[in-house]
Amino acid sequence: MRAAWKRAWRARIGVESTVMENPRNEPQAAAPHAGPAVEVIGLHKWYGDFHALRDINLTVARGERIVICGPSGGGKSTVLRCINRLEDWQQGRIVVDGIELTDDPKHIVAVRRDVGMVFQHFNLFPHLTVLENCTLAPIWVRRMSKKDAEELAMRYLARVKIPEQAEKYPARLSGGQQQRVAIARALCMSPTIMLFDEPTSALDPEMVKEVLDTMVELANDGITMLVVSHEMGFARQVADRVILMDEGQIVEINAPKAFFDSPQHERTRLFLRQVLR
Amino acid sequence: MARAADGFYLRAAPAERRPPPAARAGAIGWLRANLFSSPGNVALTLVCAIFIAWTAAHVLRFFVLDAVWSGADREACLASPANPEPGACWAFVRVWLSYFVYGFYPIGARWRVDLFFLALAFGIAWLAWLAAPRRDIGAFYFFIVLPILSFFLLSGAPLIGLSAVPTSLWGGILVTIVVATVGIVASLPLGIVLAFGRRSDIAVVKFFSVTFIEFVRGVPMITVLFMASVMLPLFVPERFTPDKLLRALIGVALFASAYMAEVVRGGLAAVPRGQYEAAQALGLPYWRMTALVILPQALRVTLPNIVNTFIGLFKDTTLVFVVGIFDFLRTIEAARVDPHWATPVTSVTGYAFAAVFYFLCCYAMSRYARGVETRLARAHRR
């Protein structure tokens, strides 16, 4: 009843078409912010006495695709996790979609609604089916009806090519399938920015490709992407810029061609020698 | 498939798939494998079998074969030429049964207790049957309708013609069920709240929770009951002094919730950090994340421990006798010294009856929990 009434209302005010194309289904977030997608300004972070992030400055334009690589412990994941405030920092500013991340929970939630994240270990909710994993946030954060949320979820599950697994529990899926579900789950919130934290590192070699293919497809759609990854092929193929981080600092930011063919910094050359061999 | 001599190999055809070798089937196979697999095992089986047979024979003789099933007073259960070694005196239980169930509850109003039992059983069945229709209404009935209904049924509502029955007249299984149900229903939510309080970032909340949990866990249940019974009236004005049974109920609920808090905390600690992060990254606010992602997982892993606490609580209800409440066990204590039924077997019979009642209730809880566990586990297996 209520859903029918809502549909009729939407049709009357003329938003039905946008609802179909743009699953965001939320008027207040309709107009994207005009400035850069992400701005990180003078960021410093310490774990106790350990200076984990040192003077990070980065501006990511809307639609830009960035790959961050570097040795482990270099602070790549930490930067990423600061952008949706899973990590706190002590100095500096981060502005996402025009919203400054402060301690204000309202700002934090507003940013998280707009920023999707995919984790190394998928972190699917094991007590929910694949479909429920995908509809949870749209229903409870976006306030969508269950029916709309399920429609939306099925569309994204189809996009990551596993609609037939919707009723299964995550434990029954392979690693690659789980990661694709995780991507679909993030996409269901219609984020404008996607963060990928080593999305293929925990996968069996044979499953890396299916996840990377999904990501390449996403990249072609023009969503803003920040990817921490060691997949150099992916970086070369999709990235607009590649960043090397080491010891908590940004060592080099370069276009992929220049980054791989003529790296400027000695550390980058060393890193690439180790990785590419 | 040929094995190459040089250590290299190339598969020519796929190895055929076969069903697993048939296990040794049938009852005899099972007996062989589990009871008679080795000389030591055979000896152990025989010793156990002899012991079981010996015990079972005694139990059967005492509680069934030589038991006295009817009679008006002690004479029936004393040794006689017809029954030189009388067994359990079930006649005693039969005569006293209504006292065991209702205590001193007025005889004319006992249908109200029966109705309460029925309403409760209905509510439990509705909630416990996982595939039942409209379990949301069931929950509403159990947690909202039933308490109000029970209150008016049991303590009376003079306005609608139900005479008031003071709780001092309640007793027996009625009191045990009321105390246990209230304790179980109150302790889980209270325990969850306390568990979150203990993990809270707010110092005051954390301090209060830790103090409460550690204090209550650090003293015996009897002390908590005495405190609830004696100290509670000191804190509230005299005319608001709660009823004696209510005081005991509060004591039991607080005691159980402290234990429940620790059980739930264990479950919360078992939920990986990634689950919190994934929920946060999706923009779920704290309470949503807790209710939809964290708690369901935490409660699932702690289900055995939760039921364990429930069972402990059910048996602990027998302690309310120390503050002068006539629970089931206390009614048996009172009845077994009745001079009309003074026989060598009266006490044993009374205690055996109590044991059977408590065992049936606790075993039912335990079995039900096992069932739910397997059901939940099925969904998560690969």
Side-chain angles (χ1 to χ4, degrees):
Chain A
M1 265 308 277
R2 240 180 103 211
W5 178 85
K6 263 192 198 161
R7 259 200 306 279
W9 173 250
R10 281 199 206 108
R12 242 188 87 190
I13 60 175
V15 295
E16 186 67 3
S17 58
T18 55
V19 169
M20 292 318 287
E21 257 116 66
N22 168 17
R24 166 165 321 179
N25 196 4
E26 211 189 36
Q28 66 262 36
H33 157 76
V38 179
E39 265 186 292
V40 181
I41 303 149
L43 193 72
H44 289 263
K45 177 174 174 62
W46 287 265
Y47 288 114
D49 286 338
F50 177 65
H51 201 164
L53 292 182
R54 296 191 244 167
D55 192 33
I56 306 293
N57 289 286
L58 176 67
T59 302
V60 182
R62 196 154 294 283
E64 199 175 15
R65 287 149 326 214
I66 301 230
V67 171
I68 307 173
C69 55
S72 53
K76 314 178 295 285
S77 293
T78 312
V79 169
L80 211 62
R81 292 156 58 85
C82 283
I83 292 174
N84 65 356
R85 192 75 175 196
L86 287 181
E87 297 279 353
D88 203 354
W89 58 88
Q90 284 83 20
Q91 216 179 307
R93 295 171 56 210
I94 296 184
V95 182
V96 180
D97 262 344
I99 306 168
E100 167 134 26
L101 272 169
T102 58
D103 285 331
D104 186 348
K106 277 203 194 97
H107 287 205
I108 296 176
V109 168
V111 165
R112 284 176 182 165
R113 286 158 58 124
D114 247 17
V115 178
M117 182 154 189
V118 174
F119 298 86
Q120 181 178 0
H121 296 288
F122 333 134
N123 297 355
L124 293 177
F125 305 132
H127 62 299
L128 301 177
T129 63
V130 163
L131 186 65
E132 287 165 343
N133 263 280
C134 294
T135 56
L136 186 78
I139 290 175
W140 293 99
V141 181
R142 290 261 188 249
R143 297 256 157 234
M144 257 186 221
S145 74
K146 188 164 180 253
K147 196 172 150 287
D148 289 350
E150 280 176 357
E151 246 169 58
L152 174 74
M154 287 313 293
R155 204 154 53 227
Y156 280 117
L157 285 173
R159 217 174 124 183
V160 299
K161 302 190 180 65
I162 34 177
E164 72 283 357
Q165 313 281 6
E167 299 303 327
K168 287 192 186 164
Y169 284 91
R172 291 173 192 258
L173 306 186
S174 73
Q177 289 173 324
Q178 289 195 41
Q179 194 60 296
R180 284 185 284 149
V181 172
I183 293 173
R185 176 176 73 175
L187 290 177
C188 280
M189 284 295 282
S190 323
T192 54
I193 301 163
M194 283 286 285
L195 309 176
F196 291 84
D197 188 4
E198 306 206 23
T200 56
S201 304
L203 296 177
D204 290 343
E206 283 185 317
M207 296 172 178
V208 170
K209 187 175 176 298
E210 64 186 52
V211 171
L212 286 181
D213 285 349
T214 310
M215 289 168 63
V216 170
E217 224 178 275
L218 258 185
N220 293 337
D221 284 359
I223 197 166
T224 313
M225 285 168 79
L226 278 98
V227 184
V228 169
S229 178
H230 296 115
E231 299 294 336
M232 292 302 130
F234 174 80
R236 202 188 267 273
Q237 184 187 349
V238 251
D240 294 312
R241 286 187 289 166
V242 182
I243 298 177
L244 183 86
M245 281 193 69
D246 185 28
E247 296 183 344
Q249 319 157 69
I250 291 180
V251 175
E252 180 167 350
I253 305 181
N254 218 331
K257 195 165 166 28
F259 185 91
F260 290 109
D261 299 343
S262 54
Q264 300 299 302
H265 198 282
E266 179 50 36
R267 184 69 187 86
T268 314
R269 280 195 284 274
L270 182 66
F271 176 77
L272 288 175
R273 264 207 303 283
Q274 298 299 332
V275 178
L276 301 174
R277 261 184 300 245
Chain B
M1 63 177 242
R3 182 159 294 147
D6 55 4
F8 297 99
Y9 171 73
L10 183 66
R11 178 170 292 287
E16 107 191 81
R17 281 180 208 273
R18 276 187 247 149
R24 246 184 293 171
I28 294 174
W30 185 90
L31 282 176
R32 255 221 199 123
N34 291 286
L35 298 177
F36 303 104
S37 57
S38 67
N41 205 341
V42 171
L44 199 61
T45 303
L46 288 181
V47 170
C48 291
I50 290 168
F51 179 76
I52 291 170
W54 178 72
T55 324
H58 273 276
V59 168
L60 194 69
R61 187 200 69 75
F62 185 85
F63 287 108
V64 181
L65 297 180
D66 288 350
V68 179
W69 296 93
S70 60
D73 60 11
R74 62 192 289 265
E75 293 297 329
C77 295
L78 289 175
S80 65
N83 192 357
E85 214 181 312
C89 187
W90 295 122
F92 157 73
V93 171
R94 269 171 73 160
V95 169
W96 280 92
L97 187 62
S98 64
Y99 176 63
F100 294 156
V101 176
Y102 307 102
F104 292 113
Y105 210 88
I107 292 174
R110 284 183 181 176
W111 61 270
R112 282 152 55 179
V113 178
D114 295 335
L115 195 58
F116 159 72
F117 284 145
L118 266 179
L120 180 67
F122 179 67
I124 291 176
W126 199 344
L127 278 194
W129 181 28
L130 294 179
R134 296 314 301 263
R135 293 180 76 231
D136 49 342
I137 301 181
F140 177 77
Y141 167 76
F142 191 85
F143 293 106
I144 312 284
V145 179
L146 189 61
I148 298 170
L149 179 77
S150 311
F151 178 79
F152 286 120
L153 261 184
L154 294 176
S155 57
L159 279 179
I160 54 167
L162 294 175
S163 57
V165 179
T167 54
S168 53
L169 296 182
W170 302 17
I173 289 177
L174 167 63
V175 161
T176 295
I177 296 286
V178 166
V179 174
T181 313
V182 171
I184 285 173
V185 170
S187 67
L188 187 58
L190 268 177
I192 291 172
V193 169
L194 281 169
F196 277 102
R198 190 166 193 162
R199 292 163 61 94
S200 171
D201 293 331
I202 307 164
V204 182
V205 174
K206 186 176 175 145
F207 176 79
F208 173 79
S209 306
V210 171
T211 312
F212 177 86
I213 293 169
E214 292 305 333
F215 181 74
V216 173
R217 286 201 317 151
V219 297
M221 167 99 163
I222 291 187
T223 318
V224 174
L225 281 174
F226 273 132
M227 283 197 23
S229 176
V230 179
M231 284 178 65
L232 214 58
L234 299 181
F235 294 128
V236 290
E238 200 165 336
R239 62 203 167 91
F240 294 129
T241 300
D243 177 86
K244 191 162 75 174
L245 180 65
L246 184 59
R247 276 179 270 164
L249 281 179
I250 294 172
V252 168
L254 292 186
F255 188 79
S257 59
Y259 278 88
M260 195 57 76
E262 286 301 280
V263 167
V264 173
R265 189 169 70 105
L268 290 176
V271 178
R273 230 169 81 94
Q275 294 290 310
Y276 290 85
E277 289 177 354
Q280 285 169 353
L282 285 170
L284 287 169
Y286 180 81
W287 290 112
R288 283 272 144 72
M289 168 181 83
T290 302
L292 299 169
V293 176
I294 307 304
L295 252 189
Q297 297 186 53
L299 292 184
R300 193 181 84 81
V301 298
T302 45
L303 186 68
N305 287 332
I306 289 174
V307 174
N308 198 26
T309 312
F310 284 168
I311 289 174
L313 167 69
F314 189 80
K315 292 182 295 181
D316 279 349
T317 58
T318 51
L319 289 173
V320 295
F321 85 89
V322 300
V323 290
I325 291 166
F326 270 65
D327 77 307
F328 175 49
L329 194 60
R330 187 75 192 93
T331 57
I332 283 181
E333 282 285 314
R336 77 184 179 86
V337 295
D338 174 17
H340 287 108
W341 285 97
T343 73
V345 291
T346 306
S347 298
V348 181
T349 309
Y351 289 139
F353 181 58
V356 168
F357 169 77
Y358 284 109
F359 177 77
L360 284 183
C361 291
C362 294
Y363 190 64
M365 283 195 257
S366 162
R367 290 304 308 181
Y368 177 70
R370 287 283 309 179
V372 174
E373 251 174 79
T374 6
R375 219 186 107 103
L376 289 177
R378 208 177 302 145
H380 294 261
R381 264 202 312 262
R382 269 174 171 276

